[in-house]
């Protein structure tokens, strides 16, 4: 169980930005943090990891108090049982894939976990290569494996799949779900993708203006909270029928057929990413 009740004021954002997070996350859940840019999603992850210190409040995780302003407790990041996968991967460029994992292995721990993770993440054929020679999807798998080397109880993912194409996103979503279950993790992930969030999440936290606006299952959140709002979803163009102006689009695991104007069809090609504005029916 993770219990968060923290406050912090940021003055360096061209004006005050105040956050007030109150949230409880159960052990073993995969929770997605959802919301617009600049509302505090990444800030929440960094507070849990100990990379940002709240002004007041408390944070309990893994049956321990990690932060408490009254009791003057603030556990250092390296003492928190957390794995953090950043957007930019943060791999050591001078080390091979295997050496990146070895570097993260705590002193005295069994080295067998390295081979285990290399097998799970299908990194065997690239384990001796440097990060600069890897694709975005391969780097993401290495970053995920490195976060798991320390056997964390909590895995934090800051938009881990945002820079990947739709087919690679789909494959890595399955990797994430597998390691989440296999390692009995509590996973907290930031995402902007509705289809991805629905597919992967046990619950969704919607943040607005530094506060938790809605918290529930994906279907509860997206049917109730967004029933009167428009959302943007991204998909991959699978086929184009110029005779009827119809386009087949992959949205998550679903294929939908939509009609576009001739103007919007200009320049559109199979494989392109397309952004669709959708509104839930009442």
């Amino acid at each position: 169980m993770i219990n968060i009740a923290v406050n912090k004021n940021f003055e360096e954002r061209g004006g005050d930005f105040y956050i007030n997070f109150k949230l409880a996350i159960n052990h073993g859940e995969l929770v997605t943090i959802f919301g617009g840019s600049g509302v505090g999603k990444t800030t929440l992850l960094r507070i849990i990891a100990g990379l940002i210190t709240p002004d007041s409040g408390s944070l309990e995780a893994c049956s321990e108090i990690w932060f408490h302003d009254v009791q003057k407790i603030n556990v250092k990041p390296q003492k928190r049982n957390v794995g953090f996968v950043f957007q930019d991967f943060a791999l050591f460029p001078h080390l091979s894939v295997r050496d990146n994992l070895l570097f993260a292995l705590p002193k005295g721990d069994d080295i067998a976990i390295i081979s285990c993770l290399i097998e799970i993440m299908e990194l065997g054929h690239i384990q001796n290569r440097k990060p600069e020679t890897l694709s975005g999807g391969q780097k993401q798998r290495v970053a995920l494996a490195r976060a798991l080397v320390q056997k964390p109880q909590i895995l934090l993912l800051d938009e881990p799949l945002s820079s990947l194409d739709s087919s690679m996103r789909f494959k890595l979503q399955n990797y994430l779900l597998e390691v989440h279950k296999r390692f009995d993790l509590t996973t907290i992930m930031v995402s902007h993708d509705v289809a991805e969030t629905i597919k992967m999440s046990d619950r969704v936290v919607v943040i607005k203006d530094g506060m938790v606006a809605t918290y529930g299952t994906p279907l509860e959140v997206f049917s109730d909270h967004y029933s009167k709002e428009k959302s943007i979803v991204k998909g991959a163009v699978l086929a184009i029928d110029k005779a009827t102006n119809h386009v087949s689009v992959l949205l998550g695991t679903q294929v939908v057929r939509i009609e576009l104007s001739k103007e919007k069809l200009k320049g559109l090609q199979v494989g392109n990413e397309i952004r669709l504005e959708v509104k839930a029916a009442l």
Side-chain angles (χ1 to χ4, degrees), residues 153-166:
Q153 290 182 275
I154 300 170
L155 180 63
L156 306 177
L157 305 168
D158 190 3
E159 294 193 74
L161 312 179
S162 61
S163 62
L164 306 176
D165 61 49
S166 57

Side-chain angles (χ1 to χ4, degrees), residues 20-23 44 204-208 210-215:
N20 178 15
F21 293 134
K22 292 184 179 179
L23 183 64
L44 176 55
V204 181
V205 179
V206 178
I207 293 181
K208 283 190 174 182
M211 299 180 67
V212 175
T214 309
Y215 191 23

Side-chain angles (χ1 to χ4, degrees), residues 27-39:
H27 171 77
E29 284 189 315
L30 196 158
V31 174
T32 295
I33 310 299
F34 198 87
S37 298
V39 297

